[in-house]
Amino acid sequence: MAMHRRHAGRPTDHPPDPWADLRPAQPTQAPTTAPMDRPAVTPMGPTTAMDAHASALTDPPAAALTQALLAAEAGYPVMPLTRSKLPAIRSPHRGHPEKPPCRGACGRLGHGVHDASTDPLTVRRMFAAAPWATGYGLACGRPPHHLIGIDLDTKNGADGLTALRFLAEQHGFPLPPTVTVLTPSGGRHLWYTGPPSLPVPNSVGRLAPGIDVRGAGGYLVGPGSLTTHGRYVLAADTPRHPAPVPDTLLTLLTAPPPPAHREPPYGVPPQPAAALIRFVRASPRGQRNARLFWAACRAQESGLGQELAARLTEAACHTGLSAEEARATIASAARRG
């Protein structure tokens, strides 16, 4: 499969860090790297960051505007959001929609992600038109960063992070450290920069259950935004800037969607059994039970739960789990199925 070269056309100068005041204070002792499946936000001490957060608690709309302006200064097109994470300005065409849909050519506000801007006067104008906005969105796919958001969900039994790790091992691509935003529901958003010439489409669950993609025409909720379910926050030790999207992951993101209702060939499970076994055998400490449970759930969905139970148990024992622990985890996945 062809690889895509993305470095041409990328900005060479790093933008300022717009979330410096949202970063947790660094601990005084030597830092340790938290496992990716157990994100932590370091408690803050009496720092300037705490002062910034104090204003966010007392005046969320003002804090959202401040944070949106900093993001815009760093080159991220932004727009105001409501507590329900929707664009805060209503469409001027409601009741008499335009055909084709207007994307802002009329000059008025209220076109959702198409209003997103890096111009500070435009940003202030948008927030003035929506004083109730307590968050901000960052438009994906727009220059200069061509942002791509990987939304890893944990709702309804999904495990987007484990699913992404499985894809990375199955297709042999790295998962470089990148800007990571923790969501109130326990999920996370990974930010990557993409190529200017290859737009990434939005999708829900197309890569795998629990993985949604925000690309051209989509947006990400910015860190510091307050929603009805809580606040979006930066993960501890998150990098200052998004990493370039890995080539193979970009290929998966831009591949044509599979035909609807496609059935696997007779005798071939939808989730490769050998890949599931390898995924469990490669489990590091801190991920062993999570990977085993995820793989056992996929085996159940493929109709191979009983057939693969012994091989999954053996693979889990290879990582250091006891056979009793492994069987209990596999039984739990079977009950969920």
Side-chain angles (χ1 to χ4, degrees):
M1 207 172 278
M3 295 294 186
H4 302 279
R5 300 298 174 193
R6 310 172 315 286
H7 299 288
R10 294 285 183 87
T12 54
D13 296 329
H14 282 305
D17 182 5
W19 301 284
D21 286 343
L22 295 179
R23 295 181 180 279
Q26 294 299 312
T28 55
Q29 69 269 24
T32 57
T33 302
M36 198 174 178
D37 59 332
R38 294 183 181 179
V41 177
T42 308
M44 290 187 298
T47 64
T48 55
M50 176 173 274
D51 296 335
H53 285 302
S55 65
L57 293 174
T58 57
D59 193 350
L65 171 59
T66 298
Q67 209 57 55
L69 287 168
L70 290 171
E73 183 183 359
Y76 298 95
V78 296
M79 62 179 182
L81 299 180
T82 66
R83 285 180 182 253
S84 58
K85 303 181 290 185
L86 295 174
I89 304 175
R90 296 181 66 183
S91 169
H93 307 293
R94 60 186 182 276
H96 46 88
E98 298 281 318
K99 292 185 178 180
C102 178
R103 295 189 171 184
C106 66
R108 291 176 287 177
L109 297 175
H111 299 87
V113 72
H114 304 293
D115 287 344
S117 176
T118 58
D119 175 62
L121 293 179
T122 302
V123 175
R124 290 183 180 277
R125 178 183 169 218
M126 286 190 288
F127 275 83
W132 51 84
T134 59
Y136 64 103
L138 298 95
C140 295
R142 298 265 294 272
H145 305 294
H146 304 280
L147 199 61
I148 300 168
I150 306 297
D151 181 356
L152 305 178
D153 205 354
T154 59
K155 296 190 290 290
N156 302 318
D159 188 346
L161 179 57
T162 302
L164 181 62
R165 286 184 173 132
F166 177 79
L167 282 174
E169 292 196 13
Q170 186 181 22
H171 295 277
F173 62 85
L175 289 174
T178 192
V179 174
T180 302
V181 178
L182 308 181
T183 73
S185 64
R188 66 182 67 198
H189 294 166
L190 307 183
W191 296 14
Y192 294 104
T193 58
S197 59
L198 192 63
V200 171
N202 296 285
S203 63
V204 177
R206 185 171 75 85
L207 278 184
I211 301 180
D212 299 339
V213 178
R214 304 287 180 261
Y219 61 90
L220 289 164
V221 180
S225 295
L226 180 64
T227 71
T228 52
H229 297 291
R231 194 177 296 276
Y232 282 66
V233 298
L234 289 171
D237 301 323
T238 194
R240 288 169 55 91
H241 309 290
V245 62
D247 285 308
T248 304
L249 177 56
L250 179 63
T251 299
L252 294 173
L253 293 173
T254 55
H261 308 298
R262 183 181 65 178
E263 294 293 333
Y266 178 75
V268 177
Q271 193 72 70
L276 292 175
I277 301 301
R278 288 195 304 269
F279 185 63
V280 172
R281 285 178 66 88
S283 301
R285 285 187 176 275
Q287 298 177 27
R288 295 177 298 184
N289 262 311
R291 287 194 180 211
L292 175 60
F293 180 78
W294 187 87
C297 287
R298 303 292 80 76
Q300 288 288 334
E301 293 167 1
S302 302
L304 298 173
Q306 291 184 345
E307 180 180 336
L308 291 184
R311 293 175 63 190
L312 287 172
T313 301
E314 180 184 0
C317 291
H318 174 80
T319 70
L321 287 181
S322 68
E324 183 179 358
E325 288 178 291
R327 283 192 287 267
T329 299
I330 293 170
S332 178
R335 287 193 298 271
R336 176 182 178 274

